[in-house]
Amino acid sequence: MKDQKENKIGIVGLTGQTVFFRTQHLPRPGETVACEEMFFEAGGKGHNQAAACAKLGAKAVFVGAVGRDENARICEAALRQDGVQPCLIEKDAPTAFAAVSTDADGENFVQVCAGAASQLTAGDILHGDARSALQDCEVLLIQNEIPAECIEAVLQLAEETGARVVFNPAPAGGIPREIYAGCWVVTPNEEEAKCIAGFAPGQAVSDEALCAALCKAGVRRAVVTLGGSGVLLADENGCCRLPACRAGRVVDTTGAGDTFNGALCAALVQGCDFRQAAQFAVTAAGISVTRPGAASSVPTLDEVRRHLKNRQ
Ligand code: RIB
């Protein structure tokens, strides 16, 4: 008999309102640039990843902290609309807010004020509604937009329940090393991977050297996202690359990593092995960058399946 855990992913992270500016080029220090378009979209890495899990066929529950304000209601409605079950804990601080600027090549700048999300505690996760929502999840997905004690609490919960933890260490920095050993897979981008592995930012590193240094840093398994160059899969047995999926003209890379992480988890709970799940996720992310926005750019399950079929 199939157990209750099947297909369910618990995402603990940041949800907040985001303003997107589209401009020809990103501003240099001190420069003012005119924007051609602006729009609002609920987001945050955790929020976007939860939306991706649900849109790509998994059951997704999102745990995060919000303020007692209108933006909290907007975020909750957006999560529900994408099929995510929200478990939002109210704090006496404003809901998170982010500003994303995107240039003509789809490159971006992201600034985030975490607000209420920075007040989420280990106790919020390990007790009450959040615990009830998370304890029957097959996979727990976290990012580095929540306090370190919350990451540790998710790892503690996973140890108790047997859930696999997928950790997207974004943004980089300030992550205690001991955390990696408890994660089933870590999903940094190239610069985040170098930071974990102890290399200098921008330093040229071979795949093999990066893989070896990640393992030495305590990472059991990693998938390093390389933008247009695909992904690097690494574990103690070595490493290999999967190419990027070119689904069309790149319009906006914001949230591509979030689509990747959500898709990876959705594929894992649907029974894919690590490599198959990474292939599915690369395809989903490749489609997402052809559209503006973050959560709204996540493709449907049918679209991803169609692309995968056309590749064969
Ligand atoms: O990863 C992209 C996300 O990071 C945006 O949605 C923004 O809200 C920031 O948190």
Side-chain angles (χ1 to χ4, degrees):
M1 201 174 97
K2 294 178 172 183
D3 68 17
Q4 273 188 321
K5 278 191 179 185
E6 195 179 13
N7 275 357
K8 189 173 172 192
I9 302 164
I11 304 95
V12 182
L14 180 149
T15 181
Q17 181 62 297
T18 307
V19 60
F20 283 79
F21 292 113
R22 295 177 61 76
T23 178
Q24 274 306 310
H25 73 267
L26 297 170
R28 285 175 281 273
E31 187 188 16
T32 299
V33 295
C35 294
E36 289 145 7
E37 194 194 347
M38 73 92 119
F39 59 94
F40 288 95
E41 187 185 286
K45 295 186 193 304
H47 179 120
N48 300 336
Q49 292 177 17
C53 291
K55 282 181 164 182
L56 293 168
K59 283 181 206 141
V61 54
F62 174 86
V63 171
V66 293
R68 301 173 210 278
D69 50 27
E70 183 56 22
N71 283 338
R73 284 180 278 281
I74 290 170
C75 292
E76 179 171 1
L79 286 164
R80 285 192 195 283
Q81 202 183 344
D82 282 333
V84 179
Q85 179 198 331
C87 177
L88 302 180
I89 296 147
E90 288 192 349
K91 301 285 180 184
D92 290 322
T95 298
F97 198 96
V100 177
S101 301
T102 310
D103 72 9
D105 298 323
E107 284 304 330
N108 62 28
F109 261 169
V110 182
Q111 291 172 293
V112 187
C113 179
S118 64
Q119 295 190 13
L120 190 70
T121 65
D124 292 331
I125 293 165
L126 294 171
H127 307 288
D129 291 346
R131 189 192 172 94
S132 310
L134 295 172
Q135 65 191 3
D136 61 349
C137 290
E138 189 180 333
V139 167
L140 294 173
L141 171 57
I142 46 176
Q143 321 73 32
N144 196 29
E145 282 191 323
I146 50 174
E149 67 173 271
C150 299
I151 295 174
E152 282 156 16
V154 169
L155 289 170
Q156 185 185 323
L157 187 64
E159 223 175 280
E160 289 169 32
T161 66
R164 288 186 279 184
V165 175
V166 176
F167 179 35
N168 175 219
I175 302 168
R177 224 183 152 130
E178 313 77 70
I179 280 175
Y180 300 116
C183 301
W184 190 79
V185 63
V186 179
T187 62
N189 66 22
E190 196 171 3
E191 288 307 311
E192 289 154 1
K194 283 182 197 165
C195 174
I196 297 168
F199 294 106
Q203 187 178 341
V205 184
S206 71
D207 289 355
E208 290 71 22
L210 185 58
C211 171
L214 285 171
C215 291
K216 206 167 157 213
V219 172
R220 285 157 61 189
R221 189 181 283 107
V223 46
V224 183
T225 53
L226 305 167
S229 301
V231 294
L232 173 70
L233 307 185
D235 64 15
E236 60 187 9
N237 299 316
C239 59
C240 69
R241 280 195 183 212
L242 297 180
C245 158
R246 308 216 175 265
R249 192 175 79 83
V250 175
V251 167
D252 186 350
T253 55
T254 315
D258 298 334
T259 296
F260 182 89
N261 277 277
L264 183 81
C265 293
L268 286 172
V269 297
Q270 281 157 42
C272 291
D273 65 24
F274 180 42
R275 193 189 165 97
Q276 290 167 333
Q279 184 63 67
F280 179 85
V282 161
T283 308
I287 302 170
S288 77
V289 297
T290 65
R291 297 160 186 181
S296 62
S297 70
V298 178
T300 63
L301 187 53
D302 278 349
E303 285 177 291
V304 181
R305 284 188 174 146
R306 237 180 293 130
H307 267 82
L308 282 168
K309 210 170 160 197
N310 291 341
R311 283 183 72 250
Q312 284 164 0

